[in-house]
Amino acid sequence: MAIVDMNKISIIGLQKNKEEMITSLMKMGVVEVSDFIPDDQWSELVTKDETESDVATLEADLMRIKSSIEYLSKYNSQKRGLFAPKKEISTQEYNEIIQNREHIWNIVDQIAHYDEQLMQLLSEENRLNNLIATFEPWKPLTVPFDVENTKNTTVLLGVLPAIADVEKMKQNLEENVPESYVEIINADKEQNYIFLIYVNSLENEVMTLLKQYGFAKVSFNDFHGTAQENINKARQEIEKIKEKRKEILEHISVFAGEKEKLEVLYDYLLIQKDRKEAIGRLAHTNNVFVLNGWVPRELSEKVEKTILQKYDCIVEIKRPEEGEEFPVLLRNHPLVEPFELITEMYSLPKSTEVDPNAAMAPFYFMFFGLMLGDAGYGLIMTIVTAIILKKYKTEGLMNKLLKLGCLCGISTFFWGAMFGGWFGDFPSRIGITNDKIVNGIWFNPVNDPMKLLIWSFVFGAIHLFVGMGMQGYNLIRKGKIWDAVFDVGLWYVFLIGLVLFGVGKGVLNDIGKYMSIAGAVGLILTQGRSKEGIIKKLFSGVLSLYNTTAFFSDVMSYSRILALGLATGVIGTVINTMGSLFGTNVIGIIIFVIVFIGGHIFNLAINVLGSYVHSSRLQYVEFFGKFYEGGGKAFQPLKIKTKYINLKNEEDV
């Protein structure tokens, strides 16, 4: 449906033109360069450039520049917004910056040097803070840490576990070693801090007694003065570190105006890295190189003509062989394109199968709106995303995501108006009595949930039937017309017949009965056709009817539309009720506004996420499960990719 056809492209060119040709291909941006894998015929004739070390060096340089850019971002007064486009610069500006890149590298080196200093200062500050934490419990001790033992006595510091009976320890020490002195300096949840003096000759008796209580020595041999003096000294050192850090950060901030130049250099190196990686995929002899790749079929002639005009080379373009996989490039209608995000999160289609986006998009659009189901929320989503799309030149993933949000907002607005959801029951809170607004143009699911449940099953059955139709289309594309008739057509007859027989009346009931009988007979006779023997064929055919339960089980999954739709409306109503509790006086109105805004922002955020997840789940499990295989490889052309800048003119890149 929307998978762009690809051609193989092979180029044999002069070795001296290799880098220039790679640059030309990057500017074209439409050729994917494949790894050249030599076969037996080529293996002895060609070699491949070893570019891994060059790529690794460029990646390391990119990391260095990125780190510097992140540093300078803190000091840049012109912050780049979330949706701000890349900065556009002319080729002349670009070339001037690149020609003076030694100056930029000097800035990067200086920032790296300052960063190393900051890390050392941080390490030292952490060490000092740890010392302060160690000294804190000893603050009441007025004896210096470096107090020396005398000829006959020993001064000792230590700790006891918090669970130890300190008073009993002191009593035992006084009774058994009276030639000693012990003082409890401090205590916390973990330990008791002990100061001890004893006669040297009684050390064994003292230690034996203390060990019974879990005593452990503490030594501060490298420190002089009291605990408080050491804490003060450490704090002074920390203040000096803070001053030093401030000076370094001021030095770094001087480079803030150079940030854009660093971004240009970053993108320059990014382009060089991509170029080197592409060269590493080629094979060459001393005089020529060989390039293999893929190009969109519609651009093949133009690419061939452009290359042959510029270079002396051989270009061969041919179609892929029957059944050969090629890189996948999707091209859909602008209204369908945003929904490619949903499929890509699951898996790209293989090049040999159907792109499901055109069939999936209307259902995702509808299910999201049904699940969120509040016109007020839909209006906010649509307006906000539309303003961003209008104001900012968004690209790539962000552009698709915003467009998806805008379309889903439109769906939400539509179904919210149909169901009477306007920020919950807000219209009735402010006195609006119009039935079409309060109870919806169609009906209000809060008042009639069974009606929404039935319609959810109806929409689900249609969704599943379309999935089965996609399966039939795949079979027809592969030339398996009878398989499409037997494996899809007969199921249509049987299932539709069952539905008409179950819910229809009169003639419809009769039609449904005969359709279901005809479909069942057809399935029994055909679903076992791959088996050997008439008995196995019929038995497999009978067993295939059991898949009816799987179909109706899948239909039950669509009850989540009701669940999420009701959740949005009920939570919105609860928020309005909470806000209204304080009456209609000034304070009550202020509280209502605060609760209304905060509550509905929360309700919108949580239910947008729920609608996104569950709408996707219905596509992945129920819909894709009927026909979709996936596993395709995305088309990744060699092109100029940048992170920070866009060139107004990409010549001389």
Side-chain angles (χ1 to χ4, degrees), residues 14-28 275 279 289 310-311 653:
L14 297 176
Q15 179 74 351
K16 65 180 182 180
N17 294 332
K18 180 170 63 178
E19 296 218 8
E20 187 180 341
M21 187 180 291
I22 287 294
T23 300
S24 294
L25 292 176
M26 290 183 79
K27 291 174 184 177
M28 292 183 203
R275 181 186 281 121
I279 291 172
F289 70 90
K310 287 186 176 182
Y311 308 102
V653 172

Side-chain angles (χ1 to χ4, degrees), residues 100-114:
N100 296 315
R101 58 182 176 273
E102 289 302 322
H103 169 67
I104 304 173
W105 277 119
N106 183 47
I107 294 173
V108 172
D109 290 338
Q110 289 187 63
I111 292 174
H113 175 67
Y114 287 139

Side-chain angles (χ1 to χ4, degrees), residues 502-558:
V503 301
K505 296 180 180 180
V507 177
L508 285 178
N509 183 272
D510 293 336
I511 292 173
K513 179 173 67 175
Y514 293 119
M515 282 182 67
S516 58
I517 292 172
V521 171
L523 291 170
I524 291 170
L525 294 176
T526 61
Q527 294 301 289
R529 61 188 182 278
S530 61
K531 303 293 182 181
E532 295 181 358
I534 189 67
I535 301 300
K536 287 184 178 180
K537 290 180 186 292
L538 291 175
F539 185 68
S540 296
V542 172
L543 287 180
S544 70
L545 296 180
Y546 184 72
N547 289 332
T548 307
T549 60
F551 177 85
F552 286 107
S553 176
D554 287 343
V555 171
M556 293 296 113
S557 295
Y558 291 83

Side-chain angles (χ1 to χ4, degrees), residues 161-206:
I163 59 173
D165 190 337
V166 179
E167 293 303 321
K168 187 176 181 181
M169 180 273 296
K170 289 178 66 176
Q171 183 180 350
N172 287 344
L173 199 61
E174 290 173 1
E175 292 175 356
N176 295 293
V177 190
E179 299 86 353
S180 64
Y181 170 78
V182 64
E183 182 179 343
I184 311 301
I185 301 300
N186 208 339
D188 55 32
K189 293 180 180 180
E190 297 178 356
Q191 299 181 119
N192 295 289
Y193 300 85
I194 308 297
F195 173 72
L196 181 67
I197 302 176
Y198 58 86
V199 176
N200 294 341
S201 60
L202 299 175
E203 181 171 2
N204 289 336
E205 288 85 344
V206 172

Side-chain angles (χ1 to χ4, degrees), residues 446-459:
V446 176
N447 300 330
D448 193 358
M450 286 305 298
K451 190 171 183 178
L452 179 57
L453 181 63
I454 292 169
W455 276 105
S456 298
F457 292 155
V458 171
F459 294 144

